[in-house]
Amino acid sequence: MSASRAVSTAFRAVSRRSLMTSVRAGARPAIGMLAPRVASKALPQMMNTNQTRTMKTLDFGGDQETVYERSDYPRDKLLEVFKDDTLAILGYGPQGRGQALNMRDNGLNVIIGSRPGRSYDQAVDEGWVPGKTLFPIEEACDKGTVIMNLLSDAAQTALWDKLKPYLTKGKTLYFSHGFSVVYNDQTKIIPPKDIDVILVAPKGSGFTVRRLFQEGRGINSSFAVFQDISGKARERAIALGVGVGSGYLYETTFQKEVYSDLYGERGILMGAIQGMFQAQYDVLRANGHTPSEAFNETVEEATQSLFPLIGENGMDWMYSNCSTTAQRGALDWWRPFHDAAKPVFEKLYESVRNGTETARSLDKNSRPNYRSELEEELKEIRESEIWRTEFLRNHFIAGAGSLATAYAVMHPLDTLKTQIQAGSHRGFTKDVLRGLGKGFGVSVLGAAGQGGTRFATYEWTKAHLLPHQGTPSVGDFGTISATAISAIVGDLASSVIKVPREVITAKLQTDHYRHAGSTIRPTAGYVIRATLRDEGPVGLFRGFWTIAARDCPFMVILLTTYENFKALHPHPHPVHPHILDKLPHQQVLDIRASAAMEDWKADTPALRHVIDGGVSGFLAGYITTPMDVLRTRMITDKTPQSSLTSVVQRIIQSAPPYSSMFSQARSMYKAFFIGGVSRGLWWFGICSIFFPLYECSTSFLE
């Protein structure tokens, strides 16, 4: 439902794990929503558990709360409750998708109502059949007996007059957010008096609802009954909660669900934490601290070190595991922060209660230019220095480490390729084999700086050109163009490090400054000094534009090909085994084969990146071989002030003689594509190492 719930779900998952170790045998830990502090320490004293077949009553120091769990509604009971029902999900956004797929896997009769567009297309891709299980919204509403309205709050308001005629006597109207019903003075959504109206609110995003269900766990949810005409609304609400993927459910009201949800999102879960982060960061920067230091002390240490400690065992446990200086400061300052923040939270809660927040949300989210206005507001946060620091740092670290590792592994082949292109390769003698490591240190260290700069710049540029889409659609001109531009910008930014690295490495690999008959190979330091002596600082950037002319097309081919390969991989759609017994034998075989392939793909993401990256690297490397040949000859040419034209002429003159147009073309091809296969294979190796490391590193850091 909301991003805030995804955050809360993570903490609750931790609390469940810690609870398992703290509750005595016999007191079943069906309380994932407990505060971590209670779960880990005060639970034995505060909680008494009275367990019946369908509920667990928890006593928190006199406040009793009843919790229902998934085992209260096994599959047979679930199917019995809804044996005569058609469950119509309206909307296939994140929450609608997650709940629909979970109910389908639970064996329930589910149909989807969706407007044409991206969500509709995704539904088709995930097995919903137009005319059978996928319909226009109004038709799905007509066919359904349980109408599960999971459209956005603004869309619910806009479409209510069209949907209301289909809410006939005996049907059930279901929500996952009480917003529209509670604020009906603004939304005008007043359910008919002859239908049941219920709510199940998963405490996490639709993605989390689906993921936890697939993992066999289930998300925490609240449920509520607004109207009970049938006398069975409560039972059906709990059963639907289990059906959509809940592991544990606790009861609330429509009003309390809305108030707590809106208040929490705007408060500590999203609004307040951004405001506090930004305020602390601004003060540090104003007092002369670097962006990196301010970010680490504001965000990095909080999210990566201290917040997980709170999730494990509570705030006091986190305090006790910090230094005494940190403890003293925190104990002295938490009350001033409390006193300063409480009036703001009180004002926020009143704004939620009196409908001000609802009016603002409906007004802004219903505007025709809603998405463009939203993007401008998000852009302000995204482009603020605090989050640019994190973004650039993550991609710099991932790019630097991954490219340095790849270059280290592939350095011997690079040396061999360079020697062939420079015309200095003398066969595989013992001396040549010993020299395959020449320039290793310079190459790897330079690759780290080059990779970090290139991919931090590339990702930053792409994020600005494609703010809503990280991976381009296959063949889409706009997204491919944005990726190509980002690739060029990233490569030019990295050239400040890349060109000197290549100049020094190439001269080391080809023994450019090695005296005839000498057995002593020059060091990197000697090559740098000799280059500065002979050519001046410009010598370290010799062939700059030749390298740029080679690498800009290379990076465009590499990254657009790789991004399109990534876009080709479909998302896995697991199927629960218990629905297979209803299907024909051949369909079962097809589903199992497909599921096995999807599972294999899901379990081997690195292998996909190896193949995608390797093939992209080979194609880009081989196609740009002529520019690489020119770059190598210019760097290693000992003729003072040699130009690109003179280098091209010497390559043509050195080509074998030809007697016809065909032999001329073949001769030129051999001259300019010399070492092309080696270069292609080298880039296959580099990219098949780099991209899996880069993708895993960025995922880990983010």
Side-chain angles (χ1 to χ4, degrees):
M1 176 176 286
S2 66
S4 64
R5 290 179 178 161
V7 176
S8 63
T9 299
F11 284 102
R12 291 182 180 115
V14 173
S15 72
R16 283 199 295 273
R17 292 194 294 271
S18 61
L19 182 62
M20 294 295 290
T21 65
S22 61
V23 182
R24 296 187 301 271
R28 296 172 62 191
I31 47 174
M33 71 294 298
L34 288 174
R37 173 67 176 89
V38 175
S40 61
K41 290 193 173 183
L43 187 64
Q45 291 77 32
M46 294 181 64
M47 188 190 78
N48 294 316
T49 304
N50 299 319
Q51 184 171 312
T52 66
R53 188 178 67 83
T54 58
M55 68 181 67
K56 290 86 199 163
T57 301
L58 310 177
D59 187 339
F60 295 93
D63 290 336
Q64 292 190 341
E65 193 166 347
T66 301
V67 178
Y68 300 82
E69 64 177 338
R70 181 174 51 190
S71 60
D72 298 331
Y73 280 84
R75 178 174 179 267
D76 291 343
K77 184 176 180 179
L78 197 62
L79 296 178
E80 178 63 26
V81 172
F82 299 108
K83 63 181 180 181
D84 298 322
D85 285 298
T86 298
L87 307 172
I89 292 270
L90 307 185
Y92 204 69
Q95 198 64 239
R97 173 185 178 274
Q99 294 191 30
L101 292 174
N102 290 352
M103 288 195 298
R104 184 175 72 178
D105 287 356
N106 270 325
L108 301 176
N109 180 25
V110 186
I111 63 174
I112 302 296
S114 178
R115 291 172 286 191
R118 186 170 58 184
S119 296
Y120 186 96
D121 295 339
Q122 183 180 11
V124 173
D125 290 341
E126 293 182 330
W128 303 98
V129 182
K132 293 184 178 180
T133 56
L134 178 60
F135 302 93
I137 290 177
E138 293 177 51
E139 186 175 352
C141 197
D142 182 40
K143 291 179 177 294
T145 58
V146 178
I147 311 304
M148 304 179 69
N149 196 341
L150 298 181
L151 297 164
S152 69
D153 294 327
Q156 288 183 21
T157 300
L159 295 175
W160 176 249
D161 290 339
K162 295 182 179 180
L163 301 183
K164 188 175 180 179
Y166 299 104
L167 300 175
T168 54
K169 183 178 180 179
K171 288 191 176 185
T172 297
L173 179 59
Y174 167 104
F175 295 93
S176 281
H177 190 25
F179 184 97
S180 297
V181 174
V182 172
Y183 297 108
N184 56 37
D185 58 325
Q186 299 182 55
T187 65
K188 310 305 179 185
I189 294 180
I190 302 175
K193 297 298 184 181
D194 55 357
I195 65 173
D196 289 347
V197 182
I198 61 177
L199 172 147
V200 174
K203 300 306 171 184
S205 68
F207 171 80
T208 310
V209 171
R210 180 61 175 161
R211 177 174 56 81
L212 292 180
F213 176 81
Q214 291 174 311
E215 293 174 358
R217 295 191 285 158
I219 197 167
N220 296 332
S221 302
S222 60
F223 75 93
V225 176
F226 187 77
Q227 285 182 185
D228 185 3
I229 304 304
S230 67
K232 299 180 180 179
R234 182 188 181 85
E235 178 188 13
R236 287 164 69 83
I238 298 171
L240 267 178
V242 173
V244 301
S246 303
Y248 305 99
L249 295 118
Y250 61 93
E251 191 166 9
T252 185
T253 67
F254 271 61
Q255 185 183 73
K256 288 180 179 177
E257 189 279 330
V258 173
Y259 285 6
S260 62
D261 187 76
L262 296 182
Y263 175 73
E265 290 170 342
R266 287 151 177 78
I268 200 65
L269 297 176
M270 294 176 68
I273 198 167
Q274 163 64 15
M276 296 289 280
F277 276 165
Q278 190 67 57
Q280 176 165 310
Y281 182 89
D282 289 346
V283 171
L284 286 169
R285 291 289 288 125
N287 283 275
H289 297 270
T290 64
S292 180
E293 183 177 41
F295 177 82
N296 286 334
E297 291 298 329
T298 301
V299 178
E300 181 75 7
E301 191 166 352
T303 58
Q304 303 304 313
S305 177
L306 300 183
F307 287 178
L309 296 182
I310 299 172
E312 289 176 16
N313 284 303
M315 185 68 74
D316 65 326
W317 192 84
M318 183 270 282
Y319 277 19
S320 66
N321 281 273
C322 294
S323 69
T324 55
T325 302
Q327 291 172 7
R328 184 70 268 145
L331 291 169
D332 289 344
W333 277 93
W334 81 263
R335 289 188 186 278
F337 277 111
H338 168 272
D339 296 343
K342 188 176 180 182
V344 179
F345 280 101
E346 289 173 338
K347 181 180 179 181
L348 167 60
Y349 194 87
E350 180 58 30
S351 179
V352 170
R353 181 162 50 195
N354 64 29
T356 301
E357 292 302 309
T358 306
R360 185 184 297 113
S361 294
L362 289 173
D363 173 52
K364 285 186 172 291
N365 297 347
S366 301
R367 295 177 183 177
N369 60 343
Y370 156 70
R371 291 198 176 277
S372 61
E373 289 185 347
L374 173 65
E375 172 55 27
E376 285 301 313
E377 293 181 276
L378 293 176
K379 183 179 179 181
E380 180 182 356
I381 295 177
R382 183 172 62 248
E383 294 190 354
S384 63
E385 187 181 82
I386 182 174
W387 299 116
R388 285 205 317 269
T389 300
E390 179 194 38
F391 183 87
L392 293 173
R393 184 209 60 178
N394 287 348
H395 288 289
F396 185 92
I397 293 173
S402 302
L403 195 63
T405 302
Y407 269 58
V409 173
M410 299 300 296
H411 183 78
L413 187 56
D414 180 50
T415 301
L416 181 62
K417 175 200 60 123
T418 302
Q419 290 176 349
I420 292 173
Q421 290 178 341
S424 62
H425 182 60
R426 300 182 300 275
F428 292 99
T429 64
K430 186 181 295 185
D431 185 58
V432 167
L433 294 175
R434 282 199 302 265
L436 290 180
K438 290 184 290 188
F440 178 86
V442 174
S443 178
V444 172
L445 290 175
Q450 171 187 335
T453 304
R454 172 184 286 165
F455 282 91
T457 307
Y458 165 73
E459 297 288 0
W460 185 84
T461 307
K462 188 174 70 169
H464 282 71
L465 294 176
L466 301 171
H468 300 299
Q469 187 177 7
T471 301
S473 303
V474 178
D476 180 75
F477 178 78
T479 51
I480 290 178
S481 298
T483 302
I485 293 170
S486 303
I488 293 171
V489 173
D491 187 70
L492 291 176
S494 68
S495 293
V496 177
I497 299 172
K498 174 182 63 180
V499 175
R501 179 194 70 81
E502 292 201 11
V503 168
I504 298 167
T505 302
K507 289 183 176 182
L508 286 169
Q509 291 173 331
T510 59
D511 291 328
H512 186 81
Y513 285 110
R514 185 178 179 182
H515 299 296
S518 174
T519 59
I520 301 176
R521 293 189 174 91
T523 63
Y526 178 84
V527 169
I528 294 172
R529 291 192 301 272
T531 301
L532 293 174
R533 179 196 64 208
D534 297 341
E535 305 175 58
V538 72
L540 294 176
F541 292 89
R542 191 176 187 185
F544 181 93
W545 292 113
T546 304
I547 294 174
R550 174 203 66 185
D551 283 357
C552 285
F554 172 85
M555 293 304 299
V556 168
I557 296 169
L558 173 68
L559 292 173
T560 54
T561 304
Y562 177 73
E563 297 284 12
N564 275 274
F565 277 152
K566 282 173 61 179
L568 286 172
H569 297 301
H571 298 288
H573 315 304
V575 180
H576 264 223
H578 60 61
I579 71 171
L580 298 178
D581 55 8
K582 296 184 177 182
L583 301 176
H585 178 67
Q586 185 57 49
Q587 188 173 354
V588 171
L589 293 178
D590 292 342
I591 288 175
R592 284 177 172 166
S594 176
M597 179 60 70
E598 296 294 352
D599 287 343
W600 177 79
K601 290 180 178 179
D603 292 338
T604 56
L607 182 58
R608 295 203 307 271
H609 297 315
V610 167
I611 297 171
D612 293 346
V615 173
S616 301
F618 182 88
L619 291 173
Y622 190 82
I623 292 170
T624 57
T625 296
M627 296 310 301
D628 191 48
V629 171
L630 291 174
R631 158 260 183 198
T632 302
R633 292 295 181 93
M634 285 200 69
I635 289 175
T636 59
D637 193 274
K638 298 187 179 182
T639 304
Q641 305 300 322
S642 62
S643 64
L644 176 62
T645 304
S646 63
V647 170
V648 171
Q649 289 175 346
R650 279 194 290 274
I651 292 175
I652 294 174
Q653 292 169 0
S654 65
Y658 49 86
S659 57
S660 65
M661 289 287 291
F662 176 77
S663 62
Q664 180 183 16
R666 185 171 60 181
S667 179
M668 292 300 101
Y669 171 80
K670 288 182 177 180
F672 283 97
F673 278 86
I674 185 171
V677 174
S678 296
R679 174 174 164 79
L681 290 174
W682 184 73
W683 276 111
F684 180 95
I686 285 284
C687 295
S688 64
I689 297 170
F690 171 81
F691 281 109
L693 289 175
Y694 181 73
E695 298 285 0
C696 293
S697 298
T698 51
S699 297
F700 175 79
L701 290 168
E702 291 173 354

